[in-house]
Amino acid sequence: DQQVKQNSPSLSVQEGRISILNCDYTNSMFDYFLWYKKYPAEGPTFLISISSIKDKNEDGRFTVFLNKSAKHLSLHIVPSQPGDSAVYFCAASGIQGAQKLVFGQGTRLTINP
Amino acid sequence: SQTIHQWPATLVQPVGSPLSLECTVEGTSNPNLYWYRQAAGRGLQLLFYSVGIGQISSEVPQNLSASRPQDRQFILSSKKLLLSDSGFYLCAWRASGRNYEQYFGPGTRLTVT
């Protein structure tokens, strides 16, 4: 039972354009969502998060949108840069099991020059 | 600032041999600690988490075990490794309290031969 899904295993975007990474979840008890970035052979790095009381959170080039009715969140990166090439994981947590994060399978983003 | 260390960085072990991976966190007290595994091409699987010294919760039944002998030390062990134990092992910490963000160490690449 995969509670957090990233249906696109890979995404290719031209440098300077917008990258949009998507994530869907099934558990309505989730109330906090996070995005992580991971380079090969390194640990994931926390990027940005959003609480369910908001529908948008912005930090520099990164914006996360949350659509609770659709149980969908997305990460927008604009403009995309070559250093953004990495695997991106979305994660979710909630009041139940607040200590744990449930991760999606990841999307490999490649930024082409 | 907080720092998380993992060692070794890489490890090649024969089937049936024991395993000990260590994780330590600096700059924080009473963190929640986590062990994850990322198999090749897969997402992050939570193996164990700990909310305090001697308190271990297991997520996946397997031949691995975890211990927390000190507040900021988390150890992953096995008495006899299996081929299926190969993967990238990640330790993470989270500040106790309401925050959901987890911060990851650099990881250990384990190859069981």
Side-chain angles (χ1 to χ4, degrees), chain A:
Chain A
D1 176 25
Q2 199 170 344
Q3 299 184 68
V4 179
K5 299 178 184 179
Q6 293 176 256
N7 292 317
S8 298
S10 63
L11 176 67
S12 186
V13 174
Q14 192 170 4
E15 182 179 358
R17 306 293 290 269
I18 184 171
S19 295
I20 300 176
L21 297 108
N22 294 303
C23 180
D24 298 295
Y25 62 96
T26 57
N27 190 337
S28 59
M29 297 302 293
F30 288 146
D31 66 354
Y32 201 83
F33 305 89
L34 307 90
W35 285 95
Y36 285 83
K37 174 182 179 180
K38 186 183 181 301
Y39 293 120
E42 295 184 9
T45 302
F46 169 69
L47 269 180
I48 191 169
S49 60
I50 188 167
S51 165
S52 60
I53 63 173
K54 297 183 176 180
D55 55 18
K56 176 182 175 182
N57 189 26
E58 195 171 353
D59 183 2
R61 297 186 298 113
F62 302 92
T63 303
V64 56
F65 295 92
L66 176 62
N67 182 333
K68 286 176 289 185
S69 61
K71 294 190 176 66
H72 176 84
L73 64 153
S74 60
L75 174 68
H76 292 211
I77 307 172
V78 55
S80 299
Q81 300 174 354
D84 297 329
S85 294
V87 176
Y88 290 79
F89 291 97
C90 67
S93 190
I95 295 175
Q96 286 183 326
Q99 298 93 343
K100 299 184 289 186
L101 296 179
V102 179
F103 283 85
Q105 296 298 97
T107 296
R108 180 177 302 279
L109 174 65
T110 302
I111 305 301
N112 301 308

Side-chain angles (χ1 to χ4, degrees), chain A residues 36 44 101 103, chain B residues 4 6 23 25 31-36 46 48-50 74 89-94 101-105:
Chain A
Y36 285 83
L101 296 179
F103 283 85
Chain B
I4 180 168
Q6 276 187 253
C23 170
V25 181
N32 288 1
L33 296 172
Y34 306 83
W35 278 112
Y36 290 86
L46 178 63
F48 301 94
Y49 70 95
S50 171
F74 205 23
Y89 287 82
L90 290 155
C91 181
W93 72 274
R94 182 181 78 92
E101 289 84 2
Q102 294 180 19
Y103 300 93
F104 287 82

